[in-house]
Amino acid sequence: MRWIHKGKPLFDAASIVSGAIVGGVAVAVAWVYSTKDGPDAPKYPFQVTASWTTNSEPSVKWDHNWDKRDPESKTRPKKNNEDEIDYEKRLAKNKPTATRHLFLIRHGQYNLEGITDFERKLTALGKEQADFTGLRLSLMKQPWTKLISSTMTRAKETADIITKHLPEDVPRDYCDFLREGAPIPPEPPVGHWRPEHQQFFQDGSRIEAAFRKYFHRADADQLEDSYEILVCHANVIRYFVCRGLQFPPEAWLRISLNNGSITHMYIRPNGRVGIRYMGESGHMPVEKVTST
């Protein structure tokens, strides 16, 4: 197959058409990949056109400077009389080389009948869940950088149990920004959970501040990859996942997380954000798994 653009061959390509039956409906997908090398080769090695889309352009493009820490934005613009090599040297000083790993832990099951935060302590099962999670983290053998927990009782208790499984030299800290709350009105809305608009206004800015505090690419002076543990809450973690992956943040309530689950996200030096696994609770026996 040959693609023509403005009367000239764009590139030679081969195509493969595959099909599948999904929900009783036939779906055909055409894979088009380039067989042309050199400077005139297409930007992407292959394109895919599916029956449910009209082109291969992304619906929303990735914002490479989402954390406002892109090296070019942190480097003074090049002066008119400055040599290109000198500018590149200054730019290189602001380029990160390390990856930041964030392990987001939801607290264990807690007393839902409690009225105050102090009364909402972990149940016996919740303590078991935290213990399983701490054991799982210890078996990962990662060089843990620090452990930070929400200041709410159930999160602090979970962090206390997890800490027993970690090396004694892992720093420990607390953060009010990580407390549970209502991050943003969900879409679609749900009838059984309707916080006041004031709560979204107050909690939303705080949880967004937590995201900006902990989600960003490494600084240029960070020489090794970091592995941070954040013990917090379901709403906070779900919002972090949507914001980090640049999904619509109002989709957070469509995600469910088990108690004591682990969500592993990473931020590459170039600002790319990815997720290894979300809500992982396979380290617990089935009968110990809960989501409330």
Side-chain angles (χ1 to χ4, degrees), residues 143-199:
W144 302 111
T145 308
K146 66 175 68 173
L147 183 150
I148 306 164
S149 75
S150 155
T151 53
M152 298 189 83
T153 300
R154 54 189 181 272
K156 290 194 295 184
E157 288 184 325
T158 300
D160 288 341
I161 296 173
I162 290 176
T163 299
K164 297 177 182 179
H165 293 275
L166 304 181
E168 295 181 358
D169 60 347
V170 176
R172 175 86 179 270
D173 203 357
Y174 304 91
C175 181
D176 283 327
F177 288 175
L178 293 172
R179 294 172 70 90
E180 183 65 298
I184 188 174
E187 179 61 37
V190 293
H192 64 278
W193 189 74
R194 293 178 178 272
E196 299 292 336
H197 289 292
Q198 179 184 3
Q199 186 176 351

Side-chain angles (χ1 to χ4, degrees), residues 39 45 47 76 114 135 150 166 177 182 196 208 237 251 253 265 273 288:
Q47 296 177 332
R76 178 171 49 82
L135 178 59
S150 155
L166 304 181
F177 288 175
E196 299 292 336
E208 172 63 19
I237 296 172
L253 197 54
M265 301 188 71
V273 180
K288 302 292 183 180

Side-chain angles (χ1 to χ4, degrees), residues 221-238:
D221 59 2
Q222 180 178 323
L223 303 180
E224 298 180 351
D225 293 354
S226 56
Y227 299 81
E228 301 175 33
I229 301 172
L230 303 180
V231 182
C232 48
H233 309 269
N235 292 359
V236 176
I237 296 172
R238 295 186 283 187

Side-chain angles (χ1 to χ4, degrees), residues 60-272:
V60 178
K61 291 189 176 181
W62 179 262
D63 177 8
H64 290 276
N65 196 25
W66 60 275
D67 59 350
K68 309 308 177 188
R69 298 191 183 207
D70 183 88
E72 290 189 3
S73 66
K74 297 179 67 177
T75 305
R76 178 171 49 82
K78 180 183 176 183
K79 295 182 179 179
N80 293 333
N81 60 347
E82 184 179 13
D83 185 88
E84 183 68 28
I85 296 178
D86 291 336
Y87 173 74
E88 289 297 330
K89 288 181 179 178
R90 291 196 292 110
L91 183 63
K93 292 181 179 179
N94 289 321
K95 288 186 177 181
T97 58
T99 295
R100 298 187 61 238
H101 296 268
L102 299 173
F103 292 78
L104 312 174
I105 312 298
R106 189 191 177 195
H107 57 76
Q109 185 192 66
Y110 68 101
N111 175 27
L112 292 172
E113 302 300 323
I115 299 176
T116 65
D117 174 63
F118 180 75
E119 294 174 335
R120 294 177 176 177
K121 298 181 178 181
L122 294 183
T123 63
L125 176 57
K127 293 178 180 179
E128 286 188 79
Q129 292 168 338
D131 196 55
F132 281 121
T133 301
L135 178 59
R136 177 71 181 96
L137 292 173
S138 70
L139 293 174
M140 291 181 183
K141 303 295 183 182
Q142 298 288 11
W144 302 111
T145 308
K146 66 175 68 173
L147 183 150
I148 306 164
S149 75
S150 155
T151 53
M152 298 189 83
T153 300
R154 54 189 181 272
K156 290 194 295 184
E157 288 184 325
T158 300
D160 288 341
I161 296 173
I162 290 176
T163 299
K164 297 177 182 179
H165 293 275
L166 304 181
E168 295 181 358
D169 60 347
V170 176
R172 175 86 179 270
D173 203 357
Y174 304 91
C175 181
D176 283 327
F177 288 175
L178 293 172
R179 294 172 70 90
E180 183 65 298
I184 188 174
E187 179 61 37
V190 293
H192 64 278
W193 189 74
R194 293 178 178 272
E196 299 292 336
H197 289 292
Q198 179 184 3
Q199 186 176 351
F200 284 117
F201 182 76
Q202 294 176 339
D203 293 350
S205 58
R206 171 179 56 77
I207 297 173
E208 172 63 19
F211 174 80
R212 298 188 186 193
K213 181 177 182 179
Y214 296 109
F215 277 77
H216 56 80
R217 71 194 76 188
D219 292 328
D221 59 2
Q222 180 178 323
L223 303 180
E224 298 180 351
D225 293 354
S226 56
Y227 299 81
E228 301 175 33
I229 301 172
L230 303 180
V231 182
C232 48
H233 309 269
N235 292 359
V236 176
I237 296 172
R238 295 186 283 187
Y239 179 77
F240 284 175
V241 168
C242 290
R243 283 284 282 114
L245 297 180
Q246 297 188 21
F247 293 163
E250 61 271 16
W252 64 273
L253 197 54
R254 305 174 205 171
I255 303 170
S256 180
L257 297 173
N258 292 329
N259 296 108
S261 62
I262 305 174
T263 297
H264 178 188
M265 301 188 71
Y266 58 86
I267 307 171
R268 297 299 188 196
N270 61 3
R272 298 283 182 90

Side-chain angles (χ1 to χ4, degrees), residues 51-65:
S51 59
W52 59 88
T53 185
T54 57
N55 56 59
S56 58
E57 289 295 319
S59 57
V60 178
K61 291 189 176 181
W62 179 262
D63 177 8
H64 290 276
N65 196 25

